[in-house]
Amino acid sequence: MKHNILIFNMTWTEYSARTSGGSTPVLLPVGALEQHGPHLPMNCDTLIPGAVCQQVAGRIDALVAPPLSYGYKSQPRSGGGNHFPGTTSLDGNTLVMMTRDIIKEFARHGVRKVAVVVGHTENLMFTIEGCDLALRDLRSQGIRDLRIVHMGYWEFSSEQTLRKVFPDGFPSWNLEHAGVMETSIMLHLHPNLVQFDKVPLHPPADFPPYDIYPVEPHRIPSSGALSSAKTATADKGRLMLDEYIETISMALIDEFGAESFSRPDKQEQTL
Ligand SMILES: [Zn+2]
């Protein structure tokens, strides 16, 4: 029988059998409920890392935890800002504590390899803090062998792929909010959730290199997108997603050691 990958579909006995030895990695997608322009659903930042985690887990024999579907507050220069209806955010401390608590629970079950796969830029420092506090608490309980890999999945894009996806030049990851990358991946994964005829056509947002609080909504494109996704295609989405899956799988095999993975070449190296 093929292994179950999704923790929330497993029985506790199946889960315990897979996790108790500590060799099976657990992947935790961390997303957001955030506006993504008039053309994308608000759970993009959860769906994309969730899909990455599922496909990576299938390759490296890992498990996928239920995603955290709410994130830290959307920021004007990376997500349009937290003032849009629908964007539903956590205080930083809440996200830190959730990340910390979940990782500590995995460790209590015997898990010793955790990958936190973030889909929403604003989460990054808070999920890092959650990892750090979990490790600190676990050390005080005598658990010192938990290893965490923390990432934003988009960091795995190669220059070569970016040149193909953005032939006229790559704007920046922040301006990509609801832009070509996310729209292309959604066209590939969930075409029925993309309303392509509503893609905004305005030029990229032009922000000064600083933030203003309280946020002044008139400085932000009213569409909520920070650049136009008009050149997005499902093919571009597949190209980017396949690269994430391949390179994240390789990174996790390297960082977690090969003993739990069925790659004979790697296994020899660790002998
Ligand atoms: Zn996003």
Side-chain angles (χ1 to χ4, degrees), residues 37-261:
H39 62 295
L40 291 177
M42 293 196 290
N43 63 345
C44 275
D45 289 356
T46 308
L47 283 174
I48 297 175
V52 168
C53 285
Q54 279 195 45
Q55 300 218 35
V56 168
R59 286 185 176 210
I60 69 169
D61 204 18
L63 301 179
V64 182
L68 289 185
S69 306
Y70 299 88
Y72 182 65
K73 294 157 197 160
S74 181
Q75 294 298 302
R77 291 193 290 142
S78 51
N82 214 55
H83 54 290
F84 286 88
T87 296
T88 307
S89 305
L90 304 174
D91 283 353
N93 190 51
T94 311
L95 181 57
V96 170
M97 294 293 114
M98 287 178 74
T99 308
R100 180 200 70 176
D101 290 355
I102 291 166
I103 291 173
K104 284 169 64 181
E105 285 291 84
F106 293 152
R108 179 174 68 80
H109 308 147
V111 173
R112 291 297 179 266
K113 299 169 182 177
V114 173
V116 178
V117 180
V118 172
H120 173 70
T121 310
E122 289 86 336
N123 286 345
L124 289 168
M125 286 304 156
F126 300 98
T127 46
I128 286 173
E129 177 70 353
C131 293
D132 186 62
L133 295 186
L135 290 173
R136 192 168 76 186
D137 286 0
L138 290 165
R139 270 196 305 276
S140 73
Q141 297 167 21
I143 297 175
R144 296 171 183 279
D145 55 350
L146 174 68
R147 188 167 169 85
I148 303 173
V149 177
H150 178 280
M151 68 181 76
Y153 72 82
W154 59 90
E155 305 266 16
F156 285 79
S157 301
S158 67
E159 291 290 327
Q160 192 188 18
T161 299
L162 290 180
R163 270 197 298 276
K164 280 189 200 155
V165 175
F166 301 94
D168 299 326
F170 174 58
S172 73
W173 284 126
N174 280 353
L175 289 179
E176 261 303 293
H177 176 72
V180 173
M181 184 271 277
E182 287 180 316
T183 305
S184 294
I185 293 178
M186 289 298 289
L187 282 170
H188 168 54
L189 286 175
H190 300 285
N192 55 322
L193 295 180
V194 181
Q195 301 183 49
F196 201 75
D197 56 321
K198 298 199 177 127
V199 166
L201 302 176
H202 56 68
D206 183 19
F207 293 118
Y210 52 82
D211 300 301
I212 297 167
Y213 299 102
V215 166
E216 296 175 339
H218 70 272
R219 292 169 174 259
I220 297 149
S222 59
S223 73
L226 298 185
S227 58
S228 176
K230 63 177 183 290
T231 62
T233 67
D235 280 350
K236 287 180 178 178
R238 183 172 41 80
L239 180 73
M240 300 192 92
L241 194 72
D242 284 353
E243 179 167 63
Y244 297 144
I245 292 159
E246 174 69 24
T247 52
I248 291 172
S249 298
M250 297 300 290
L252 295 185
I253 288 170
D254 284 345
E255 298 302 335
F256 287 145
E259 71 277 10
S260 59
F261 307 117

Side-chain angles (χ1 to χ4, degrees), residues 4-47:
N4 231 330
I5 284 175
L6 301 177
I7 286 176
F8 56 21
N9 287 342
M10 299 171 79
T11 65
W12 78 265
T13 51
E14 289 169 326
Y15 174 82
S16 178
R18 294 294 306 286
T19 55
S20 57
S23 64
T24 301
V26 170
L27 316 183
L28 175 64
V30 187
L33 183 60
E34 181 191 36
Q35 71 78 21
H36 272 69
H39 62 295
L40 291 177
M42 293 196 290
N43 63 345
C44 275
D45 289 356
T46 308
L47 283 174

